[in-house]
Amino acid sequence: MKQVKHRNSASKILIIGTVFLFTFFNPVFGQEEAVADSAVATEASAGGDAAKGKALFNSLCAACHKRYKKMTGPALFGVADKYEREWIYSWVKNSAAMIASGDAQAVAIYEEYNKTAMNAFPQLTNGDIDNILAYVMEPKAAPAVAAGSGSTVAPTSSDSGVSTDIILAGLALVFLMLVVILFLVNNTLKRFAEASNIELPEPEARTPIWKAFVQNQFLVLVTAIFLLLASGYFVYGYFMQVGVDQGYQPIQPIHYSHKIHAGDNQIECKYCHSSARVSKHSGIPSLNVCMNCHKSIGEVAETTATEDYSKEFYDGEIQKLYKAVGWDADAQKYTGETEPVKWVRIHNLPDFAYFNHSQHVSVAGVECQKCHGPVEEMEIMYQHAPLTMGWCINCHRETNVKVADNKYYEKIHSELSKKYGVDKLTAAQMGGLECGKCHY
């Protein structure tokens, strides 16, 4: 008999693989490094309540100040170390009086920030100011993402601390080992059969499926008819979608979240698209409209971040806005160096179709969401409606004309309501289906 070499190789492979697997699956529980305690009060903020100070800061100071960054006024972190406490009390309660008295420090701050007057807060007690100082003197929290990591979203971990990648790699290794073992067993059985003169059954020769199909004329006829009908259906559907851009969602040069602006902050659509009230077009807001708010908002709150978009991402988009409009956030002034923003148009009607925003928004009182969908829920704006001719006609047939407090429609409404015998008229009954209404 021929000697079999390496007869224990398979068991060795299994043992080595098992050891390797359990080595990587052994959960390691480590303690996170301690972060600097931001609640420890410095000498300057001793005795203050940071929680109460935060509420006061957000209601009275946040419009002009940030803790760690200059805005309309200076950054307030470290201010208690820079100035005496009594001087701060006087400055907060009545800065104008200190400037008028010729106080050197007060005049210097006034000159440094372009002679921007600070509001007086005589209603604040010294204890209130101490609370504010306790809040602004808290050290800046360390970022949650580990140093050197390029990820904008903190990775999630399981309770055991085992990485998902390690689990998948282990399962893949086990699967590969099983495949190899099955292959070796199959070859061993074949050699055993040959050595024992056992004949293995030969697979029966079968007619190829394509030959069987060609020989069946009924199946060929049915398949041909089906393919012709399916081709006609898909060709018709393709041509009917030419020029229909429903769902179109381009990436803009500056990320603008309608969800944050129109949804979370409840900014009215017509604040930015003001020309929709009086013009055919809704208009693209100028960057000056953006700067009405973002002159004072250089970064978003921590709670704004989502799983898809981090705080760093939103702050970076605001910096793009500053670069385009030429705004120096540190100096709080325009540099005059501007760049055009090449916005990508989303809603676009054919040139032969006429649509007037003011007629629908101001006269008919149609809400923006009627055509544009739930804009307040869109992180990235997209075309919600198909904007086809049939879609517009259906809207005219189903929508009643708003005649309340609208003298423009009073006479024609009274005459047409008698003609049709109805109390309310649709846009179609008032001529909304005439070709000349939309085509000219």
Side-chain angles (χ1 to χ4, degrees):
M1 178 182 292
K2 185 177 181 181
Q3 185 178 1
V4 179
K5 296 182 180 180
H6 308 293
R7 55 182 179 276
N8 296 324
S9 59
S11 60
K12 289 182 179 179
I13 292 174
L14 285 175
I15 293 173
I16 293 173
T18 304
V19 172
F20 177 82
L21 189 62
F22 279 98
T23 300
F24 279 91
F25 279 168
N26 184 26
V28 178
F29 298 94
Q31 296 181 350
E32 296 181 356
E33 295 183 359
V35 182
D37 186 8
S38 61
V40 177
T42 61
E43 293 181 1
S45 59
D49 188 332
K52 294 180 180 178
K54 181 179 180 180
L56 290 170
F57 178 86
N58 290 337
S59 61
L60 301 176
C61 312
C64 299
H65 294 279
K66 290 186 181 295
R67 288 194 289 175
Y68 312 112
K69 185 178 180 181
K70 292 172 61 176
M71 206 167 70
T72 304
L76 296 185
F77 178 71
V79 67
D81 295 333
K82 187 175 181 180
Y83 302 101
E84 295 181 359
R85 185 60 60 97
E86 293 298 328
W87 186 91
I88 295 175
Y89 293 156
S90 301
W91 172 261
V92 174
K93 293 178 180 179
N94 194 346
S95 60
M98 297 186 68
I99 296 171
S101 67
D103 184 274
Q105 291 179 323
V107 173
I109 295 175
Y110 184 65
E111 295 290 341
E112 180 181 356
Y113 288 90
N114 301 321
K115 297 183 178 181
T116 302
M118 174 179 168
N119 294 336
F121 300 99
Q123 75 276 18
L124 294 179
T125 65
N126 291 351
D128 293 334
I129 299 175
D130 287 337
N131 293 337
I132 295 175
L133 291 175
Y135 172 67
V136 301
M137 289 296 294
E138 289 181 338
K140 191 173 184 180
V145 181
S149 173
S151 175
T152 58
V153 180
T156 59
S157 60
S158 62
D159 295 337
S160 64
V162 180
S163 171
T164 305
D165 295 336
I166 296 178
I167 295 175
L168 293 177
L171 293 176
L173 177 62
V174 172
F175 178 76
L176 180 61
M177 291 172 61
L178 289 175
V179 171
V180 172
I181 292 172
L182 289 175
F183 177 77
L184 295 175
V185 169
N186 186 46
N187 286 342
T188 302
L189 292 175
K190 286 183 178 180
R191 288 196 299 269
F192 180 77
E194 292 175 357
S196 303
N197 296 323
I198 299 175
E199 295 184 2
L200 298 176
E202 295 292 338
E204 297 180 1
R206 297 181 180 180
T207 304
I209 189 171
W210 66 270
K211 283 187 176 181
F213 175 78
V214 171
Q215 293 172 0
N216 193 322
Q217 297 182 354
F218 175 75
L219 284 178
V220 173
L221 178 62
V222 171
T223 303
I225 295 174
F226 174 78
L227 291 176
L228 288 174
L229 292 176
S231 300
Y233 172 79
F234 286 109
V235 169
Y236 173 80
Y238 171 78
F239 283 111
M240 288 301 294
Q241 291 300 314
V242 173
V244 179
D245 297 322
Q246 186 176 14
Y248 178 50
Q249 190 178 36
I251 301 300
Q252 302 291 351
I254 298 179
H255 181 86
Y256 180 88
S257 172
H258 280 81
K259 180 179 182 295
I260 294 176
H261 292 80
D264 298 341
N265 296 320
Q266 297 183 357
I267 300 176
E268 186 185 5
C269 299
K270 293 183 283 293
Y271 174 78
C272 299
H273 301 281
S274 57
S275 57
R277 299 187 184 96
V278 295
S279 172
K280 171 185 175 182
H281 301 285
S282 62
I284 300 175
S286 67
L287 297 184
N288 289 334
V289 176
C290 304
M291 292 301 295
N292 287 341
C293 298
H294 282 286
K295 182 179 179 181
S296 300
I297 303 176
E299 58 184 35
V300 300
E302 294 286 349
T303 54
T304 306
T306 63
E307 293 182 358
D308 298 322
Y309 300 96
S310 65
K311 180 183 185 301
E312 290 75 14
F313 172 80
Y314 285 123
D315 292 344
E317 298 304 300
I318 295 177
Q319 293 304 314
K320 290 182 182 179
L321 170 65
Y322 285 174
K323 182 179 180 181
V325 78
W327 174 254
D328 188 339
D330 295 330
Q332 289 289 300
K333 64 179 181 180
Y334 291 99
T335 63
E337 299 177 1
T338 61
E339 297 179 0
V341 178
K342 299 179 181 179
W343 300 107
V344 181
R345 183 168 184 170
I346 300 175
H347 303 85
N348 191 20
L349 292 178
D351 293 339
F352 54 79
Y354 176 82
F355 179 86
N356 192 311
H357 273 84
S358 63
Q359 179 70 20
H360 290 77
V361 174
S362 298
V363 179
V366 177
E367 294 292 335
C368 301
Q369 287 81 354
K370 180 74 173 179
C371 300
H372 296 290
V375 177
E376 68 281 0
E377 300 175 2
M378 299 181 186
E379 179 67 32
I380 301 178
M381 186 67 185
Y382 62 90
Q383 182 175 318
H384 174 76
L387 302 182
T388 60
M389 178 176 174
W391 179 79
C392 295
I393 288 176
N394 287 337
C395 184
H396 283 189
R397 286 172 175 166
E398 298 170 357
T399 306
N400 293 323
V401 176
K402 180 182 177 182
V403 295
D405 302 324
N406 193 337
K407 296 182 179 179
Y408 180 83
Y409 286 119
E410 283 184 357
K411 182 178 180 181
I412 189 171
H413 179 269
S414 61
E415 294 179 355
L416 289 177
S417 59
K418 294 177 182 179
K419 175 181 178 181
Y420 293 110
V422 294
D423 294 331
K424 295 182 178 180
L425 292 173
T426 63
Q429 290 172 325
M430 296 192 69
L433 300 185
E434 295 177 3
C435 301
K437 289 287 184 180
C438 303
H439 302 287
Y440 57 100

